[in-house]
Amino acid sequence: AAVMSSAAGLPPRAALRRMWMSLGAVYLASALIWGYVCVTCVNGMERGSPEHQFFWIATAELFVLGVASSTPSFRQRIHAALLARDGQISSAASVAALLGRNDIDHVKAEAQRKFYGVELSQVRLEDLQQSTPDPALFARAKHARFDEIDWFISHSWHDSPDAKYSALQAARSKFVAANKREPVAWLDKFCIDQTSIADSLMCLPVFLAGCKQLYLFCGPTFLERLW
C-alpha cells in the first residue's frame, strides 16, 4: 500500500518502474531471510534434508527474481509478453483486422515480424526533406519486440523538415541525458518495408500500441492530413 501511495503522483512509467524496484527489494529481502534460515538451520532442521534443500532452492529463486526485477530488459520482456497476449496489442490487432478484413492472429504475427525501430542518431535532416520512399533507409532500422521502441513518431510530410528535425534533436538530447542511450523510434520512412507497404500499413495500429510513447510533430498541416 505504501508503494502504491508513493507512486500515485508519478508519471505512469515512473510509477511502474518504482513498483518493479519495490518488488525486487521484497524478493531480495525474502531471499536474505530464507538464506539465514538455511545457514542457521533453525527449528532443528537437518542439513541436507529435503526441507533444507527446499529452503535453499527457494532462496535461490527469490534472489534471481529480485535481481531480474531490477533489470530493464527483464521488465521489457514481461511487458511485451503481457501486451502480446492481451491488452493494447490485441485491441490494436482487432482494429487492424476489422479495417483490413483479416484474421486477428495473422495481423499480430505480421506486425511482430514487421516491427522495426531506428536509433535517432541514424536520422539526418536530408532524410526528412522529402516524402519519396527510399528503400535504403530501411537498412538503418532494426527489428524489435513490442515495447522495445521508445517513440512512435507521427508527423505531416507537408510541415517544415527543418522545424521537425530541430524538435527531434532537442527531444533526442533530453532523452540521451536522462537515459544514457539513444532513443529508438518508429518513423515511417525508415520502418515501413518499402517492398510490402500495404502489409505494413495494415499493421499501423499494432505498431503504435507496441511503442512506449506516441510523439507528435504537430505542425501547421498536421491536423489537416492523415499522412
Side-chain angles (χ1 to χ4, degrees), residues 95-155:
V95 172
L98 179 63
L99 294 175
R101 298 181 181 179
N102 289 296
D103 178 73
I104 294 177
D105 291 334
H106 168 72
V107 172
K108 290 169 65 175
E110 191 71 7
Q112 179 60 92
R113 190 173 69 86
K114 293 183 176 294
F115 195 51
Y116 281 77
V118 61
E119 287 192 359
L120 292 187
S121 60
Q122 299 292 316
V123 179
R124 300 189 290 262
L125 174 58
E126 53 265 33
D127 300 326
L128 301 179
Q129 289 179 329
Q130 54 184 349
S131 60
T132 307
D134 184 355
L137 297 182
F138 186 65
R140 299 188 206 168
K142 296 181 179 179
H143 188 261
R145 295 189 301 270
F146 294 136
D147 208 37
E148 277 189 335
I149 295 179
D150 300 298
W151 299 334
F152 181 101
I153 296 179
S154 180
H155 67 108

Side-chain angles (χ1 to χ4, degrees), residues 183-205:
V184 179
W186 187 96
L187 185 55
D188 48 14
K189 198 173 182 181
F190 290 82
C191 300
I192 290 180
D193 184 356
Q194 302 297 326
T195 63
S196 58
I197 295 178
D199 289 339
S200 294
L201 294 180
M202 171 190 70
C203 299
L204 273 180

Side-chain angles (χ1 to χ4, degrees), residues 7-117:
L10 296 174
R13 289 198 172 276
L16 186 60
R17 184 163 53 250
R18 176 171 293 186
M19 291 177 65
W20 271 110
M21 297 300 291
S22 299
L23 181 62
V26 170
Y27 280 134
L28 290 174
S30 299
L32 288 175
I33 294 172
W34 283 54
Y36 173 79
V37 171
C38 292
V39 171
T40 58
C41 290
V42 297
N43 296 329
M45 181 170 53
E46 296 181 4
R47 296 183 184 276
S49 65
E51 183 182 14
H52 191 239
Q53 293 176 6
F54 168 79
F55 270 82
W56 271 121
I57 293 173
T59 299
E61 290 178 345
L62 288 168
F63 180 79
V64 170
L65 286 172
V67 173
S69 299
S70 305
T71 306
S73 60
F74 174 81
R75 298 199 298 265
Q76 285 181 350
R77 288 177 182 273
I78 295 298
H79 295 166
L82 292 174
L83 284 172
R85 289 174 57 189
D86 203 356
Q88 298 179 45
I89 296 297
S90 293
S91 298
S94 298
V95 172
L98 179 63
L99 294 175
R101 298 181 181 179
N102 289 296
D103 178 73
I104 294 177
D105 291 334
H106 168 72
V107 172
K108 290 169 65 175
E110 191 71 7
Q112 179 60 92
R113 190 173 69 86
K114 293 183 176 294
F115 195 51
Y116 281 77

